[in-house]
Structure formats: structure tokens, C-alpha cells
Amino acid sequence: NSNYTIEGTNYSHKFTITPKPITINWSGTSGLIYDSTVQKISAASSDIIPGDTVNYTITYTAGDGRNAGSHTAIVEIDNNNYTIAANETVSYRIEPKEITIEWTNLEFTYEEGKTYCPTATAKGLLGDDTCELIVEGAASAVGKHTATVTDISNKNYKLPANTSTTFEIIQTIPTTTLTVTIYGNVTI
């Protein structure tokens, strides 16, 4: 408009657009039980402006997201128009999977100087997982005894409520050969 003039020579102004702060919402971090895979947790934000694209990259700073135990994950975003203001990290647990116990060798024949204990095998393992069970309660005397699984070698698994069984050591009955010699007449 020719009715106005601008005095001076500097007609620009500097300004800064700061990234929009966002809050991360985590999902899939509760009720997790070991399943031999990396558990799928996710991060997102409802603060993103419609039409913008933000990709979320999750890495683990504690744990690996697979094994039973405590885990901590952190998220990074790839859009410089946003900055994470809250909930950048999440801590959660993966609980051990419960096994069942299969007992074998529950009856033994007594032999002097021997100790006996039944065999406990972990059932319900996933993939190529292995798991040794520690059994206590070995016995050497004739009679009924109780054996109990007291520990488990693979901490991705946990023992069931019932970890005991009864087993028996049986007394052998000696066999004797009886030779009878009869002299004379015998009436039966």
C-alpha cells in the first residue's frame, strides 16, 4: 500500500519453533508370563497432531524382554517436531511359567546300604528349554517316605503348589529251598 512506509532497514524477525512435548502410553506390559519369545510391548502417544508420522523404537536397558524377571524398556521417536516429556521408560515383569512334575520310580526293593529317591521330571517346557529339578527326601529304610522338589534350575519356570510325592521301599522276602527227606511210610 503506497499510503504507508516502513522506516529502517531490518525487516526480519527471528523466532524458534520448539518441539511439541508428548507423553508416551505403554501397552502390553501387564500379565506377562514367560513364553520363550520376546514379549510384544508397545509405545504410542495420543499427543501427535493428525497427519504427522512418528515411529517408536523400543530398546531394553534392563532385561531382554524375553526371560522371566524384571525388565526396563526405553522408547525413542524419529520425528524432531516432538519431544518425549513423560513416560520415556517403563519397568515391568515377566512371570515364570508354571510346570507340572512327573514322578517315576516310586517303588524300590530294599538292599542293605542303598539309598533310594524317586525321579522328578519337569513337564510343560517350551522349545528347547531344559530344566533340572532338585529332589530331597532320599531314604534307605523299609517303609513309605516323602520326596519333595525343593528347587528348579531354570528360573523361567516355577514349581506348582504340590511338589511332593510318596514312595515306598519294600522288604525283600528271602527265598529258601526246603528239602524234605521222608523215611518210611507217610500217610497224609
Side-chain angles (χ1 to χ4, degrees):
N1 188 333
S2 60
N3 294 330
Y4 299 97
T5 60
I6 299 175
E7 292 182 13
T9 59
N10 187 0
Y11 304 117
S12 65
H13 180 72
K14 287 187 175 184
F15 62 95
T16 302
I17 299 174
T18 59
K20 180 181 182 192
I22 63 171
T23 298
I24 297 296
N25 302 311
W26 291 91
S27 61
T29 59
S30 62
L32 299 175
I33 297 173
Y34 171 76
D35 69 359
S36 79
T37 65
V38 174
Q39 303 280 342
K40 301 295 181 197
I41 65 170
S42 60
S45 178
S46 58
D47 299 326
I48 305 301
I49 296 170
D52 282 358
T53 301
V54 175
N55 293 306
Y56 304 87
T57 303
I58 297 171
T59 54
Y60 295 94
T61 58
D64 59 6
R66 176 184 181 273
N67 291 304
S70 297
H71 302 270
T72 301
I74 188 168
V75 66
E76 294 178 356
I77 57 175
D78 66 351
N79 188 324
N80 292 331
N81 290 322
Y82 297 93
T83 184
I84 299 173
N87 299 334
E88 183 177 23
T89 63
V90 66
S91 294
Y92 63 97
R93 283 195 57 77
I94 297 175
E95 297 299 327
K97 180 182 185 297
E98 187 173 291
I99 61 158
T100 57
I101 300 172
E102 179 181 85
W103 291 97
T104 54
N105 302 321
L106 298 176
E107 189 174 286
F108 301 93
T109 302
Y110 174 79
E111 288 183 42
E112 189 174 336
K114 278 195 162 185
T115 301
Y116 306 94
C117 192
T119 304
T121 304
K123 294 296 182 179
L125 303 179
L126 300 172
D128 294 332
D129 286 355
T130 60
C131 185
E132 298 297 321
L133 301 177
I134 308 304
V135 179
E136 292 184 2
S140 58
V142 170
K144 291 190 177 191
H145 306 277
T146 300
T148 304
V149 174
T150 58
D151 202 4
I152 190 166
S153 67
N154 187 332
K155 298 309 177 187
N156 285 322
Y157 297 93
K158 68 179 181 178
L159 296 172
N162 181 9
T163 60
S164 296
T165 193
T166 301
F167 68 101
E168 187 171 13
I169 301 172
I170 300 168
Q171 177 69 51
T172 57
I173 299 172
T175 57
T176 305
T177 304
L178 177 63
T179 304
V180 178
T181 305
I182 300 175
Y183 298 100
N185 295 332
V186 176
T187 304
I188 300 181

